[in-house]
Amino acid sequence: MAQVRDFDVSQLSGVLIVCGHYGVGKTALSLSLVKDVSRTGKHVTLVDLDVVNPYFRSSDQAQSLRAAGISVITPVYAGPDCNIDMPALTGAVAPAIERASSDAGELCIIDVGGDDAGAAALGRFSRTIASAPYVMWYVVNRYRALTRDPHEACEVLYEIERASRLRATAIVANSHLMGDTDEDAISQSLPFAREVACSAGLPLAAVCVPASCADAARERLSQEGADVVLYQIDPYRQTPWSN
């Protein structure tokens, strides 16, 4: 029976990789997940593997995340208080992955840089990750330039898989228009997400919705008879020029 359900973050454990095209909302999703999972009492480590794009990193919120009891591993020199931005990976990444792989009470979320260039950093840890069960979410955004067509979105996915030497396990839709996202935008983006998932031969794990329209989107999708899992994500990251 078709129904609209809420995503249960308590089911997450081990290693969760969040990857996708530039600007689809990977970091916003990663930040929301670590906060929600931490509230369940599970210990969470966020690994920022974005050594390509100096903007919109999860590292920018490292201080507040650590204050909330969340472990954060950032690229060397990354962060808003650094005068030099020459990001490089640290030796703390592999041990964090190994801990999460062996302890059911641990979750390691890896926020990967965009496209195959960003996924190349992930490839350095592919053997460690692949030695134990892992989840790799490919995030899609129908409204993001260059991946608005399902075929284009799948091509980016395959490039990421080749560069990372890992296989995606599910699709997550985070189709949004920043503050203009509403139930219409969510509903209209669902066929796109399903087509990407079908073409890639992967399940659609969740559809992200902002808190501002979560109730309206849930009602709209229920009326449409959608069979979908929703994950409430809020707020979307603010750009420097919107502050």
Side-chain angles (χ1 to χ4, degrees):
M1 178 178 176
Q3 61 177 342
V4 178
R5 306 172 302 283
D6 291 325
F7 183 76
D8 181 10
V9 298
S10 66
Q11 67 181 279
L12 296 175
S13 62
V15 177
L16 168 60
I17 302 164
V18 181
C19 66
H21 182 48
Y22 290 107
V24 295
K26 301 182 301 297
T27 294
L29 173 59
S30 298
L31 290 170
S32 184
L33 285 169
V34 295
K35 294 172 185 176
D36 287 344
V37 174
S38 179
R39 294 188 188 102
T40 69
K42 185 171 295 183
H43 182 259
V44 189
T45 298
L46 174 63
V47 177
D48 181 358
L49 270 193
D50 193 347
V51 294
V52 177
N53 184 4
Y55 306 105
F56 314 126
R57 290 186 183 136
S58 50
S59 298
D60 296 338
Q61 293 197 27
Q63 185 174 356
S64 61
L65 292 174
R66 287 169 178 149
I70 298 168
S71 298
V72 183
I73 299 175
T74 67
V76 179
Y77 299 128
D81 298 326
C82 297
N83 294 322
I84 302 176
D85 201 330
M86 299 173 58
L89 302 178
T90 77
V93 177
I97 294 171
E98 292 169 352
R99 285 195 303 272
S101 299
S102 61
D103 187 342
E106 288 266 347
L107 173 66
C108 178
I109 295 180
I110 304 176
D111 182 10
V112 182
D115 297 358
D116 55 333
L122 180 64
R124 289 182 53 179
F125 308 99
S126 60
R127 289 187 179 180
T128 304
I129 294 171
S131 64
Y134 69 90
V135 173
M136 182 163 158
W137 284 355
Y138 177 60
V139 184
V140 296
N141 182 343
R142 180 202 173 198
Y143 306 112
R144 178 69 174 93
L146 302 181
T147 54
R148 292 174 179 169
D149 176 83
H151 175 74
E152 292 175 332
C154 285
E155 285 302 310
V156 173
L157 167 60
Y158 302 146
E159 291 172 0
I160 289 173
E161 289 182 327
R162 284 192 292 269
S164 67
R165 299 191 291 276
L166 295 167
R167 299 297 301 272
T169 61
I171 304 296
V172 170
N174 192 12
S175 296
H176 65 87
L177 297 167
M178 300 296 289
D180 295 325
T181 309
D182 59 15
E183 62 273 21
D184 290 334
I186 299 297
S187 174
Q188 292 167 12
S189 70
L190 188 54
F192 164 81
R194 284 176 169 157
E195 188 171 347
V196 174
C198 182
S199 297
L202 296 172
L204 179 61
V207 172
C208 299
V209 295
S212 58
C213 70
D215 291 340
R218 186 177 291 104
E219 182 177 355
R220 171 73 172 273
L221 293 173
S222 295
Q223 291 174 349
E224 294 173 351
D227 185 11
V228 67
V229 177
L230 298 183
Y231 176 56
Q232 185 170 304
I233 178 172
D234 185 64
Y236 286 119
R237 288 169 58 80
Q238 295 294 310
T239 57
W241 51 86
S242 66
N243 291 336

